[in-house]
Amino acid sequence: MSHVCPAAASCKNQVGGFAFPEWAYKPESSPGSRQIQLWHFILELLRKEEYHEVIAWQGDYGEFVIKDPDEVARLWGARKCKPQMNYDKLSRALRYYYNKRILHKTKGKRFTYKFNFNKLVLVNYPFIDMGSGRVPQSAPPIPSGGSHFRFPSTPSEVLSPSEDLRSPGLFGGVARRMARGSVSDCSDGTSTHSELEETAGAAGAEERGGPGPDRGFRGLLPPLPPRMTHESLFRMYGGPNLRGPAPRGHPEPPSPFPVSPLPGPGGLLGSALSPGLSMTPAPPLPLSHSLAGSLGASLGPEDQQHPSPFKFKLQPPPLGRKQRDGGASSASSAQSSSSGGLSNSTMATPKIKVEPISDVESEEEVEVTDISEEDELMNHHGNEEDDEDEEGDVFTPTGRPHLLPRHPYPHHALHRYIPGNPQHSNGSVGPPPLLHSDHRHHHPEEDEEEVFKTPATPPLSAPPFPLMSLKSEPGQAPPTPISPGGALCIPLKLRFKRRWSEDQKMEADGEREVAEDKKVRSAELEDREAVRGGGAGAAAAVVVVVEESLGVGLPTQRRSSSELQRATAQLSLENSGC
DNA sequence: TTCGGAATGT
DNA sequence: ACATTCCGAA
């Protein structure tokens, strides 16, 4: 309510005639987080060179250092209209992200944190280039507005509505344009905060022409670069802008939006995902087969790139650790965030929340190959270490499965995809096979992990990353394309696996939802269950997406994804516009 | 410096 | 949910 939307109608549920899930709007409207979230803000700052004196990317992927804590705090405070903000407070907020796995602290380095992109799922694309090695300059434009709008982390929302989403029509009409609505800050133009906005604003100003459908985000999102390599992982844009290598040396103009590479007809990748990141299309499921079919048919016309607002989605479970309910006992665990001791069993089911959040998340996430590791490997100067290693989880396909225990992760159930999908076995879909190939020799269990990791050696030009995951249900096999049509992309590098059957699962597992634990154990349990579930109940099939398909022959998927993006974009527009 | 609990606000 | 504020502990 805070924002009134002129186009109320659209604001509500429909955009362009399509109905959007409510959750799509949540982000902005969500009460707690009024508008921008701290991490979005950080990202914003990071992408602007103007602030590089106060905060900047530092070494590895996602790692950034707050050079001037006070200033950052000031900026944040300004943005939130909290003049009393200081680094101590800001850092507390940052610390909360640890549990959410949005961030990690880089140990040993002052004021240095690192985004766990691994765990984040970018819904659209990552624009961020965190410099994996190189300097990260500014990331692409994060649409301010857009960024806010993140998709739901609530699983249920996302998935559950699956049906709704499913309808092909959904996204179809959405307009392509979007806007970045950066605005909306508290001050509305008043004083302080503005710096950021200023910049943003400028851009925005141009765009804004009015609430019309046309405002676009033209610049916003670049379509993906034609090919992303791992290296380029984060940087989304390839284009001319990519600055290469030298990081910080020059002046760095923030890259405006690069605009485009265009999508060629054949190759465009619509929106790509970053390789390493797992991205999930917002509504992954929905598109599933139905989309393919329908969209394919319906959408066809051009492929424009749709810009999409990129957004991150968090993956893991938020764990609700907080239970203060009487327990109090938890205190002990405090420090060691990671593994504390968890007495696991006792609390076996701390609370059973119905929310499938975790589930969803897990499901949502599609895992892809993680780049991060690669990067790390490549780069790993040995520095940072582990912290990320832990993260290694990246793979965790399912998501949150293993929390941070530094231990070896239990192999989660990666099985998901295997479970009963004949297809899988058939390999009709591209991915599976690959998976194996990569693994080569792993034990089954390990395989699973491996699978996710597989990316070890991506083919260089990694082409497009698939946005959408197709899901094949057991009964139906999606017509996945597969055919490599041209020489385009032969290498399949990524494979997404998705398990969607939330519903089913939920039913099947009543418990898994439990997830709320903050600590690992839950994860483990879940994993196990998941595994089991995978085999059994899970009938849910897992979806595997093949990137190839995208690139190659089936534009449909891509498109569908694009549609999504557009839709999202619109949403953001709406929001912002309002 | 960093961490995280607790209470509180939005 | 997501902070903000306060604060004691490493």
Side-chain angles (χ1 to χ4, degrees):
Chain A
M1 303 224 214
S2 60
H3 307 61
V4 174
C5 299
S10 57
C11 271
K12 271 181 154 261
N13 289 337
Q14 293 183 332
V15 171
F18 293 92
F20 280 76
E22 292 176 341
W23 52 264
Y25 296 94
K26 277 180 103 172
E28 298 234 349
S29 59
S30 75
S33 52
R34 237 182 205 338
Q35 6 172 114
I36 190 168
Q37 279 175 283
L38 178 57
W39 64 279
H40 287 305
F41 180 79
I42 295 290
L43 245 24
E44 229 176 84
L45 252 40
L46 287 167
R47 87 184 221 260
K48 297 182 173 170
E49 297 277 342
E50 304 101 280
Y51 300 99
H52 84 310
E53 292 180 1
V54 297
I55 186 171
W57 293 113
Q58 208 199 22
D60 297 344
Y61 356 85
E63 195 175 274
F64 63 93
V65 57
I66 294 173
K67 297 174 181 175
D68 187 343
D70 292 335
E71 181 59 17
V72 171
R74 236 190 304 286
L75 291 166
W76 173 236
R79 179 80 150 196
K80 298 289 293 290
C81 296
K82 294 288 181 183
Q84 300 303 323
M85 182 55 63
N86 57 32
Y87 181 72
D88 178 57
K89 293 169 185 172
L90 182 150
S91 64
R92 182 70 189 84
L94 247 27
R95 272 178 242 127
Y96 273 119
Y97 286 141
Y98 298 170
N99 288 334
K100 292 175 184 261
R101 290 186 212 60
I102 293 174
L103 285 180
H104 276 199
K105 180 75 184 66
T106 294
K107 292 173 251 165
K109 294 181 181 177
R110 281 189 11 166
F111 309 132
T112 301
Y113 298 82
K114 191 158 146 198
F115 277 98
N116 291 330
F117 286 104
N118 299 327
K119 303 205 159 184
L120 294 173
V121 174
L122 285 112
V123 175
N124 289 319
Y125 342 152
F127 29 72
I128 310 181
D129 66 357
M130 0 244 11
S132 26
R134 41 176 118 39
V135 169
Q137 52 197 37
S138 49
I142 291 178
S144 350
S147 62
H148 297 96
F149 141 122
R150 77 192 225 226
F151 281 99
S153 33
T154 34
S156 57
E157 295 176 351
V158 173
L159 296 181
S160 55
S162 56
E163 291 184 353
D164 295 350
L165 293 180
R166 259 179 216 183
S167 30
L170 216 56
F171 301 100
V174 175
R176 24 185 82 222
R177 57 331 183 118
M178 74 160 304
R180 58 164 22 343
S182 53
V183 192
S184 82
D185 291 345
C186 51
S187 53
D188 306 5
T190 38
S191 45
T192 39
H193 56 322
S194 30
E195 297 177 356
L196 290 178
E197 289 184 354
E198 231 175 285
T199 50
E206 295 174 355
E207 298 175 353
R208 75 179 54 159
D214 300 351
R215 26 168 107 151
F217 45 123
R218 27 178 115 200
L220 276 184
L221 324 152
L224 298 167
R227 55 222 203 105
M228 299 176 122
T229 56
H230 316 39
E231 294 176 354
S232 57
L233 294 180
F234 290 92
R235 31 170 84 189
M236 306 193 74
Y237 298 116
N241 283 351
L242 277 174
R243 56 193 53 260
R248 43 185 71 210
H250 8 7
E252 51 278 338
S255 53
F257 313 71
V259 181
S260 52
L262 28 131
L268 10 17
L269 322 163
S271 32
L273 310 176
S274 65
L277 310 181
S278 40
M279 317 197 105
T280 325
L285 301 180
L287 302 180
S288 56
H289 55 300
S290 57
L291 262 181
S294 327
L295 288 180
S298 63
L299 294 179
E302 37 246 27
D303 32 336
Q304 24 192 43
Q305 23 229 359
H306 2 329
S308 41
F310 353 91
K311 99 188 338 77
F312 293 82
K313 182 186 188 165
L314 298 187
Q315 198 160 25
L319 311 174
R321 65 177 200 1
K322 68 180 32 338
Q323 67 216 42
R324 36 136 84 250
D325 20 344
S329 57
S330 62
S332 62
S333 62
Q335 297 175 295
S336 50
S337 57
S338 58
S339 55
L342 4 115
S343 45
N344 24 350
S345 42
T346 39
M347 301 196 50
T349 46
K351 46 174 55 181
I352 294 180
K353 219 181 199 190
V354 177
E355 298 187 357
I357 293 177
S358 32
D359 269 359
V360 169
E361 291 177 356
S362 60
E363 292 181 356
E364 267 195 333
E365 54 185 26
V366 178
E367 220 32 359
V368 181
T369 56
D370 17 350
I371 298 171
S372 58
E373 271 205 354
E374 290 179 355
D375 285 352
E376 286 184 357
L377 292 178
M378 295 171 68
N379 296 351
H380 71 311
H381 323 31
N383 45 353
E384 297 307 58
E385 55 239 62
D386 352 308
D387 54 347
E388 254 358 296
D389 295 331
E390 354 168 325
E391 279 7 323
D393 329 5
V394 173
F395 307 141
T396 82
T398 28
R400 63 123 144 344
H402 33 351
L403 299 186
L404 343 122
R406 302 171 178 253
H407 308 296
Y409 311 93
H411 330 333
H412 315 336
L414 300 179
H415 306 72
R416 328 185 140 89
Y417 54 117
I418 299 172
N421 283 353
Q423 294 176 344
H424 209 328
S425 54
N426 287 348
S428 58
V429 174
L434 286 181
L435 296 177
H436 292 77
S437 63
D438 287 352
H439 314 74
R440 331 165 175 143
H441 46 307
H442 300 344
H443 298 298
E445 292 177 354
E446 289 180 356
D447 283 349
E448 297 173 353
E449 283 185 357
E450 294 294 342
V451 170
F452 291 96
K453 294 171 138 200
T454 317
T457 47
L460 280 178
S461 38
F465 301 63
L467 290 181
M468 309 291 305
S469 46
L470 295 183
K471 108 191 21 48
S472 47
E473 289 183 355
Q476 304 176 338
T480 349
I482 321 176
S483 53
L488 209 27
C489 1
I490 296 169
L492 319 171
K493 117 191 227 214
L494 305 180
R495 21 80 161 82
F496 290 91
K497 297 172 178 137
R498 179 192 214 40
R499 109 216 351 129
W500 47 286
S501 54
E502 288 177 336
D503 301 350
Q504 295 175 349
K505 273 187 177 181
M506 291 181 64
E507 290 178 355
D509 300 344
E511 297 179 355
R512 84 192 239 299
E513 314 303 3
V514 176
E516 296 300 8
D517 297 355
K518 109 185 292 181
K519 296 312 171 112
V520 176
R521 60 145 169 251
S522 60
E524 293 177 350
L525 293 177
E526 289 182 356
D527 289 348
R528 292 180 184 179
E529 289 182 356
V531 170
R532 278 192 301 138
V542 172
V543 176
V544 177
V545 175
V546 177
E547 73 182 65
E548 304 162 346
S549 55
L550 288 177
V552 178
L554 298 185
T556 54
Q557 292 178 345
R558 226 203 314 89
R559 289 190 180 167
S560 60
S561 64
S562 352
E563 291 291 335
L564 268 178
Q565 294 177 348
R566 288 180 190 173
T568 56
Q570 248 199 333
L571 286 177
S572 66
L573 259 180
E574 298 285 347
N575 291 341
S576 63
C578 301

